Amino acid sequence: MNYFEFIHLPKNNPLEIVIYAVFWGILTALPFYHYHYLKTKQRTVLNVLGLMVLFFVALFIDSYMQMPDNPVTFVLLMAFWFGFAYLLIPAFIKKYWKLIAFIYGPLFLYFLYLRLFTGNLETYLKIKEDFPFYLFFLPIPVLFLIWLFEQWKWVQNLKADKAKAELALLRTQINPHFFFNTLNNLYALTVKHSEKAPEVILKLSDMMRYTIYEGDKEMVTLEDEIEYLNNYIELHKIRYKKSVEIAFNHEVDTSLTVAPLLFIILLENAFKHGIETLAENAFIHITLKEETDFIIFSIENNFDPNEISPTNGIGLQNLRSRLSLLYKNKHELKVDVSNNLYITTLKIAKHA
C-alpha cells in the first residue's frame, strides 16, 4: 500500500510503523476471523465491497485527472454517500427518496451547470465563492431530525403493539371456573329433568357469546355489560340452595361505553370469596351509577374472615393490569376491608 501510495510510512519513526502494521493487520484479519458470519451475509458484504471500490475509484480518478471539483469525482462520491446511507437505513431512504431527490436534485444540477457551462475554471472558482459546498450539508440535520421522528414513531407503535398483546393475554385469563361450575350444575338439572335447564342453557349461551365476541371489542355499551352481569347473577342464584341476598341497582345512561369485562372480575370475587365462604346471611349489594365525568361501579359483600383464599388477589391483579393499559391515569380502583365486610369501588372516566 505504501508502494502504491495509498498510505505513507515514515522512514524514521518505528513506533508509527508498528501502529500502522497492527491496524492494517487487524483490518485484514477481521474478514478471515468472521468468515462464517460474512458468508451468511454475502449480499451485505458485496454491497460494502462495491461501495469501497466506488470510493477508491473516485479517489483514483481525482488524483489522476488533478482537476479541481472534478464533476466525475463529485458524481461518484455522491453515489458512494447515498449508497452508504441506503446500506445503513434502507427503509428510511425508500420512504423519503422523493424528498431527498427534491432537495439534492436541484443542488446537484446547479453545481453541474456552474462547473461545466459557466466558462473556464477561473470563472467557476470565482462563482464558487458565492456558492459554497457546505450547502450540500445543510439538509442533513433536517433529514436526521426526520429520521429521529421515524424512530420515535416506531418505538411508540412497538409499545402500542406490546400493550395490545398484553391486554389480549389478560382477557384470556378471565376465570373460566364459573363456566365449568355452571356446566356441572346444568348436567345435574338435565339428569333431574328440571324445568330450569333450558333457562340455564340460554343464559350460559348468551354469556359465552358475549365473552368470546363482545369481549374482544375495544368498547361495549353499559346496556350489554348490565345484561351480562344480570345473567351471571341469575345463574348463580340457580346454583345456590342457600338463601342469598343479591341487589343490583343501576342508574346510568346505558348508551355510555366502557371496555368490556371489567366489572365481572369484581363480581366474581364477591361470589367466590364472599357468598361461597358463608353458610348463611350472605349478601351482595351492587351499584352502577354515573357522575359528571365518571362511571362508578361498587360492590359491597360480607365474607368469612376465616375462609380467605390464598389466591384472593389474582383477579384484582388482572383487573389492575387491564385498567393501566386501557385507562392509564383515568381510573381509580379502591378496596376497603373491615371486619367481615368487603367494599370495592371502580371509577373510570366516561370519555377516556
Side-chain angles (χ1 to χ4, degrees), residues 42-195:
Q42 289 184 2
R43 186 172 181 179
T44 302
V45 172
L46 290 175
N47 289 335
V48 171
L49 291 176
L51 287 175
M52 291 177 63
V53 169
L54 182 64
F55 180 75
F56 283 113
V57 167
L59 293 183
F60 174 78
I61 291 175
D62 191 62
S63 61
Y64 178 77
M65 298 181 70
Q66 295 183 351
M67 182 186 300
D69 295 344
N70 188 337
V72 178
T73 304
F74 191 81
V75 170
L76 292 177
L77 287 178
M78 282 195 67
F80 167 78
W81 286 115
F82 281 120
F84 184 72
Y86 181 81
L87 199 63
L88 292 178
I89 45 174
F92 179 81
I93 299 298
K94 286 180 180 178
K95 184 174 182 180
Y96 290 99
W97 70 269
K98 291 182 180 179
L99 176 63
I100 296 171
F102 177 77
I103 293 173
Y104 280 102
L107 288 175
F108 177 66
L109 292 175
Y110 188 54
F111 162 75
L112 291 180
Y113 169 75
L114 292 178
R115 183 67 182 83
L116 300 175
F117 303 104
T118 55
N120 55 28
L121 180 61
E122 289 75 14
T123 304
Y124 163 74
L125 293 175
K126 187 175 181 181
I127 297 175
K128 181 183 174 182
E129 296 178 1
D130 301 322
F131 183 75
F133 270 96
Y134 66 74
L135 289 177
F136 282 90
F137 297 96
L138 289 180
I140 293 178
V142 177
L143 294 173
F144 180 70
L145 290 175
I146 295 174
W147 178 81
L148 287 179
F149 176 71
E150 287 289 325
Q151 300 310 300
W152 177 83
K153 281 202 308 182
W154 176 76
V155 171
Q156 297 305 310
N157 290 334
L158 191 65
K159 288 180 179 179
D161 291 341
K162 181 175 180 290
K164 288 180 181 178
E166 290 177 355
L167 185 57
L169 178 62
L170 290 170
R171 281 174 175 166
T172 64
Q173 293 173 354
I174 293 173
N175 191 3
H177 180 71
F178 162 75
F179 289 106
F180 290 122
N181 279 345
T182 305
L183 287 172
N184 288 332
N185 290 328
L186 177 60
Y187 173 76
L189 291 173
T190 54
V191 169
K192 296 177 182 178
H193 301 286
S194 172
E195 295 179 356

Side-chain angles (χ1 to χ4, degrees), residues 1 6-7 9 15-31 52 56:
M1 296 183 74
F6 280 111
I7 60 174
L9 296 178
L15 179 61
E16 193 170 344
I17 294 176
V18 170
I19 294 173
Y20 270 109
V22 171
F23 174 78
W24 286 105
I26 293 174
L27 193 65
T28 306
L30 281 175
M52 291 177 63
F56 283 113

